Amino acid sequence: MSGVILTTRDPSGPPIDMTGVLPERLIEGGREALARLMLVRGRGRHRLDALFTLEDGGPPGTLILRPGGAMLDGVGAGMTAGDLQVEGECGAYAGSAMRGGTLTVAGSCGAFAAAGMVGGCLRVAGDAGDFLGAPLAGGTRGMSGGSAVVMGNAGDRVGERMRRGLIAVHGRVGSLCGARMIAGTIVVGAGCGPDAGQAMRRGSILLSQAPDAVPSGFVDGGMNDWLFLDLMRKELIDGGAWPSGFPTAGTRARRLIGDRSAGGVGEVLILSTA
Amino acid sequence: MRLNGVHIEDTFAEAFPMLGTRLVITADTPAWVQAAVVSMTGFATSVIACGCEAALERVLPSDETPDSRPGAAVLLFAMSRAELAKQVARRVGQCVMTCPGTACYAGLRNGPTIPLGNALRYFGDGWQIAKRVGSRRYWRIPVMDGEFLCEAATAAVDGVGGGNFIILAADRRAGLAAAQAAVLAIREVPGAILPFPGGVVRSGSKIGGKYKGMIASTNTAFCPTLRAAVPASLVPEGVESILELVIDGVNEAAVGAAMRAGITAVAGQGATGGVVSVTAGNYGGKLGRYQFRLHEVMA
């Protein structure tokens, strides 16, 4: 059995909550189970096949959204397995609370992508909005596993309260990157806005250049060799997550330790090309 | 059985189960790798008194190590999981972490684990950092030359200890030459180590002794100088020197392969090289569950 391609019947309408439109539903119940799924759009609830056309296509077990669209919220939310591909852009909450599988977005995605993520992999070819890998509304912990790779830029508060996992943004991120971070790794390829690592307790933020400003609670640990960077680079290069602007050899980096004002021993590492 | 004029006795080596692990140690240069390995495997010849048996398995080139630096694989064996965990923590903590520029990685992935960095992280006094890279977890422990990177845990596998064979030679020079040839051959076998100094034991032992509290005492049956005095002597006429090679391995196959490689090398010295015969140490099948019959090993 091949995969299924979903095409939006009315791309100009109100947002569609895509919660539950997951490849595992296709694997478990087949195309019919997917077609019967009730989705919220605007004020109404509609069968999936009333909102989308369904046709066979793609590898078995794969779900493809063609052409996607910014009105598709919650794409891949809670996903546990399989492969979900968005051929264009998508809205907010892409891959939120995701536990496994792979979600690929060919365009950009909105806010709260990978928010509360536990496992799996989100790959965004375009930009991501604010709160990438941050907690979901009402939650106290951000991303706690898995990986989110954004080839473009991302907004403010990337990795807020992040606990585990990896966020790699090849472009630039906004303010408060890694704020209140508990652990995990954030890699930023093209600089970040002010107050990176605000109140972070542990974890690592890797930068290719010094941030615009760091909170006053950070102290300069100086330059040194960090062997783990070599392991991390190999891993991220293999996964296409190592930003192109980063050095491809060497383990030297300047380390800022903080946020000491919050009792934190996290680090902002500024990689050296020397 | 006779190989190149060397008599291979129809007997068996008796070996016993152990728990083992492999560690990969890297450093900035091969010399610092060697310094760490020598220190870490020091006084690790026999579980009788050392707590564990350990030795260099093989030197690793840069392209085979996790961090692309010079490295070495070391095997450690102990009689229980708790003892292995204790010895690993002590030896890595005292001999690898202290050695400039080193890092320590798990060399085995599958199976139940014992703590590695998990046991050493507290040395960081709160400044240690856990870092997950892919599926592996590491501890970054701040030290005076930078950071000691150590994988969180390593797998412990059911290994085999006490594989052995004994070289009976016309004189000490011939025995040593044969033993050294065997050591070189065995070091090419993956998954096996020779924990004794230079890979050779000259003080083979028997179980117990005449003095109270002795776990082991000299193997009088194989002491050439006692041939006339010991009724059960196994030293034939014309033999002045006897050396033993003790082998530990990650499995039965590794020990068997090492014994075969070693005995082949000994036989290569030939009777003209002063090697009279090859035998093996056993305790009538009472010591361990593994038996390596020399004729089967060499078949």
Side-chain angles (χ1 to χ4, degrees):
Chain A
M1 187 186 76
S2 71
V4 168
I5 300 170
L6 300 178
T7 307
T8 321
R9 292 180 188 274
D10 178 16
S12 59
I16 303 172
D17 182 356
M18 297 293 286
T19 304
V21 185
L22 302 171
E24 55 259 51
R25 188 175 295 272
L26 179 66
I27 294 165
E28 289 162 10
R31 190 170 153 170
E32 278 307 307
L34 201 64
R36 285 196 303 269
L37 196 66
M38 298 301 290
L39 301 179
V40 175
R41 181 173 209 183
R43 293 180 179 177
R45 285 167 61 84
H46 311 270
R47 271 177 63 113
L48 182 138
D49 55 3
L51 300 173
F52 296 90
T53 61
L54 288 80
E55 59 180 309
D56 292 339
T62 303
L63 202 54
I64 299 171
L65 298 179
R66 182 181 291 168
M71 78 295 185
L72 300 180
D73 289 338
V75 173
M79 182 172 167
T80 59
D83 191 7
L84 177 51
Q85 299 171 12
V86 184
E87 295 197 342
E89 58 182 347
C90 65
Y93 297 101
S96 59
M98 191 172 165
R99 305 186 74 85
T102 304
L103 170 59
T104 310
V105 182
S108 297
C109 63
F112 289 101
M117 184 183 203
V118 176
C121 180
L122 166 67
R123 296 187 70 87
V124 182
D127 300 332
D130 296 339
F131 301 104
L132 172 69
L136 283 162
T140 57
R141 287 181 179 177
M143 183 171 172
S144 59
S147 62
V149 180
V150 177
M151 304 305 288
N153 302 317
D156 296 339
R157 294 183 179 269
V158 168
E160 184 176 21
R161 293 206 184 197
M162 179 179 184
R163 187 168 175 81
R164 284 192 199 93
L166 167 77
I167 296 175
V169 180
H170 286 225
R172 188 178 167 80
V173 300
S175 63
L176 291 162
C177 171
R180 299 189 287 174
M181 189 173 175
I182 301 163
T185 305
I186 301 175
V187 183
V188 180
C192 60
D195 297 325
Q198 173 88 283
M200 75 188 290
R201 302 297 301 273
R202 283 179 179 270
S204 307
I205 301 174
L206 274 59
L207 305 175
S208 61
Q209 59 196 65
D212 295 347
V214 290
S216 58
F218 276 77
V219 292
D220 193 343
M223 290 289 287
N224 213 312
D225 289 300
W226 308 97
L227 200 55
F228 86 98
L229 287 177
D230 193 63
L231 306 181
M232 183 155 279
R233 174 169 40 229
K234 285 178 190 167
E235 179 77 18
L236 298 191
I237 286 175
D238 289 347
W242 189 249
S244 56
F246 274 16
T248 53
T251 55
R252 285 189 76 70
R254 180 175 158 224
R255 185 189 194 209
L256 308 174
I257 306 167
D259 186 340
R260 300 301 299 149
S261 60
V265 291
E267 60 186 359
V268 174
L269 285 166
I270 302 151
L271 275 61
S272 169
T273 53
Chain B
M1 178 186 277
R2 204 163 266 280
L3 293 173
N4 200 20
V6 176
H7 174 63
I8 310 295
E9 198 173 321
D10 185 12
T11 185
F12 63 90
E14 193 172 348
F16 44 86
M18 294 182 94
L19 279 156
T21 190
R22 178 187 285 125
L23 301 176
V24 173
I25 296 164
T26 67
D28 294 322
T29 65
W32 283 115
V33 174
Q34 187 187 18
V37 170
V38 166
S39 180
M40 183 195 174
T41 58
F43 187 57
T45 57
S46 169
V47 287
I48 291 174
C50 306
C52 74
E53 299 180 3
L56 171 74
E57 183 187 20
R58 75 182 176 104
V59 172
L60 300 173
S62 302
D63 58 2
E64 287 187 37
T65 60
D67 56 24
S68 306
R69 301 192 303 166
V74 173
L75 293 176
L76 290 96
F77 294 90
M79 297 306 287
S80 68
R81 182 173 302 277
E83 185 64 25
L84 183 66
K86 186 170 86 176
Q87 291 292 333
V88 164
R90 283 184 177 176
R91 287 169 183 273
V92 174
Q94 296 300 313
C95 307
V96 182
M97 185 163 68
T98 54
C99 185
T102 56
C104 187
Y105 307 98
L108 294 170
R109 304 273 166 215
N110 300 324
T113 58
I114 56 170
L116 186 57
N118 283 344
L120 301 172
R121 60 181 157 149
Y122 302 107
F123 185 78
D125 201 25
W127 296 92
Q128 69 275 16
I129 300 169
K131 186 59 62 184
R132 183 174 286 277
V133 180
S135 60
R136 299 184 190 176
R137 189 164 186 257
Y138 302 89
W139 280 101
R140 298 165 50 199
I141 302 168
V143 287
M144 288 160 53
D145 76 344
E147 198 169 70
F148 175 55
L149 183 66
C150 189
E151 197 154 347
T154 181
V157 297
D158 292 327
V160 177
N164 70 80
F165 62 91
I166 297 169
I167 304 163
L168 287 74
D171 55 44
R172 197 150 64 91
R173 195 173 53 83
L176 203 52
Q180 286 177 308
V183 167
L184 291 177
I186 290 171
R187 284 185 177 156
E188 297 296 315
V189 178
I193 57 164
L194 298 155
F196 283 93
V200 187
V201 195
R202 66 108 172 250
S203 61
S205 59
K206 67 177 183 291
I207 295 171
K210 69 181 281 188
Y211 298 105
K212 188 180 175 185
M214 289 297 287
I215 301 167
S217 63
T218 190
N219 196 344
T220 46
F222 281 112
C223 288
T225 55
L226 301 179
R227 180 173 56 208
V230 176
S233 177
L234 297 171
V235 184
E237 283 288 342
V239 170
E240 286 182 12
S241 178
I242 297 176
L243 293 172
E244 183 175 356
L245 279 87
V246 174
I247 300 157
D248 297 336
V250 291
N251 52 41
E252 218 173 334
V255 174
M259 286 179 63
R260 180 183 169 83
I263 294 170
T264 302
V266 169
Q269 301 286 305
T272 53
V275 181
V276 175
S277 64
V278 174
T279 185
N282 64 65
Y283 303 90
K286 295 173 187 167
L287 182 68
R289 75 164 107 119
Y290 300 104
Q291 293 184 0
F292 296 91
R293 302 207 70 86
L294 298 190
H295 286 189
E296 290 174 10
V297 164
M298 298 307 294

